[in-house]
Amino acid sequence: MEGIASLKLKLSPFSSIMSTFTSPSSSFSSNPSLLPMRTPSSSSTTRFLRIYALTSNDIKVGTNLEVDGAPWRVLEFLHVKPGKGAAFVRTKLKNYVTGNTVEKTFRAGSSIDEANVVKETKQFSYKDGSQYVFMDLNTFEESRLGESEVGDKTKWLKEGMDCNLLFWNGKVIDLDLPITVKLTVVDVDPGLKGDTAQGGSKPATLDTGAVVNVPLFVNIGEEIMVDTRTGQYMSRA
């Protein structure tokens, strides 16, 4: 009897350990444990949305179309209903990749693919040689554009400026600047005088290298607002 009791005492620690795994009150679930799934960032998912089919009746200014395997933006459109023959839509399109503009006609009601053009906000960080580096402030992912891709927009770019990059099939195809930017006057002729009441102006060089005409009362060191679409002075900042 003493041997049996001794055996029970020796087995009891093992039994208590097993009971923690088999007891209904155990904190371990009978279902397999699942690790939390990593949610992909919006920048990695939104670039590859499916292409939606439109009809020519959906065309309007700013619509993105995929024609002949290339992305185009509608600049102008006109619905035409001739006295004879079928109705059609006359458009003026701009190629995002080449920058070329063409006129193209679509039959009324015909099916057209909408280009999967995705806009993402990036911050212009710095210039690396001939490349302009833009950073996603959420993922810290960098996108680089060459001087030829940025074009004349370089004269309005300033470090720390938020811009919109347009992606098509995972590639950057265009850069949208803010409509207005705040820049600093670094050079202007202080001796140039005129009648400010008559709207006189003088050329001023800004900190990005751009030259704009400003009112005669604007001096070196002042910050001004400029319209990036027209390159015109708007006001003091």
Side-chain angles (χ1 to χ4, degrees):
M1 294 297 290
E2 291 180 357
I4 295 173
S6 175
L7 179 60
K8 287 183 178 180
L9 289 174
K10 292 180 179 180
L11 291 175
S12 59
F14 176 77
S15 301
S16 63
I17 294 174
M18 290 300 294
S19 65
T20 61
F21 288 90
T22 58
S23 172
S25 62
S26 172
S27 60
F28 290 91
S29 170
S30 60
N31 295 325
S33 176
L34 297 177
L35 294 175
M37 294 183 66
R38 181 176 179 270
T39 303
S41 65
S42 58
S43 63
S44 63
T45 56
T46 55
R47 294 185 193 172
F48 305 101
L49 301 176
R50 62 183 292 270
I51 296 176
Y52 293 91
L54 304 174
T55 70
S56 58
N57 298 328
D58 298 318
I59 291 177
K60 59 183 180 181
V61 174
T63 300
N64 297 314
L65 305 178
E66 185 163 327
V67 181
D68 298 329
W72 301 78
R73 179 181 175 88
V74 178
L75 302 179
E76 301 174 9
F77 75 99
L78 177 65
H79 291 275
V80 181
K81 295 182 180 179
K84 294 182 179 180
F88 60 91
V89 182
R90 181 182 295 123
T91 65
K92 184 176 182 179
L93 308 176
K94 179 180 179 179
N95 189 306
Y96 274 111
V97 179
T98 66
N100 296 335
T101 58
V102 299
E103 292 185 358
K104 190 172 181 63
T105 299
F106 299 94
R107 181 167 46 85
S110 60
S111 179
I112 311 170
D113 286 333
E114 181 180 17
N116 178 26
V117 176
V118 180
K119 182 183 294 186
E120 297 182 7
T121 301
K122 309 285 185 180
Q123 186 179 88
F124 173 52
S125 299
Y126 59 95
K127 186 179 180 184
D128 182 14
S130 61
Q131 292 187 322
Y132 293 80
V133 182
F134 298 83
M135 179 177 290
D136 188 309
L137 295 183
N138 293 319
T139 65
F140 302 106
E141 177 185 2
E142 289 187 350
S143 299
R144 292 172 176 258
L145 295 178
E147 291 179 340
S148 61
E149 295 172 294
V150 179
D152 291 340
K153 297 175 182 178
T154 57
K155 60 186 177 183
W156 310 122
L157 273 178
K158 191 173 182 178
E159 291 185 6
M161 178 184 293
D162 286 339
C163 307
N164 288 322
L165 298 188
L166 276 64
F167 291 83
W168 177 69
N169 288 348
K171 298 179 180 180
V172 181
I173 57 174
D174 202 4
L175 165 67
D176 280 348
L177 297 174
I179 294 176
T180 59
V181 293
K182 181 169 67 174
L183 301 174
T184 304
V185 176
V186 296
D187 189 27
V188 70
D189 187 353
L192 187 61
K193 297 181 180 181
D195 186 358
T196 57
Q198 298 300 319
S201 63
K202 57 186 178 182
T205 302
L206 308 180
D207 52 346
T208 58
V211 178
V212 300
N213 288 322
V214 299
L216 298 176
F217 55 77
V218 174
N219 297 310
I220 294 176
E222 292 191 81
E223 293 183 326
I224 63 173
M225 303 300 295
V226 180
D227 189 324
T228 60
R229 299 167 300 180
T230 62
Q232 294 181 344
Y233 166 91
M234 297 183 65
S235 65
R236 279 173 165 162

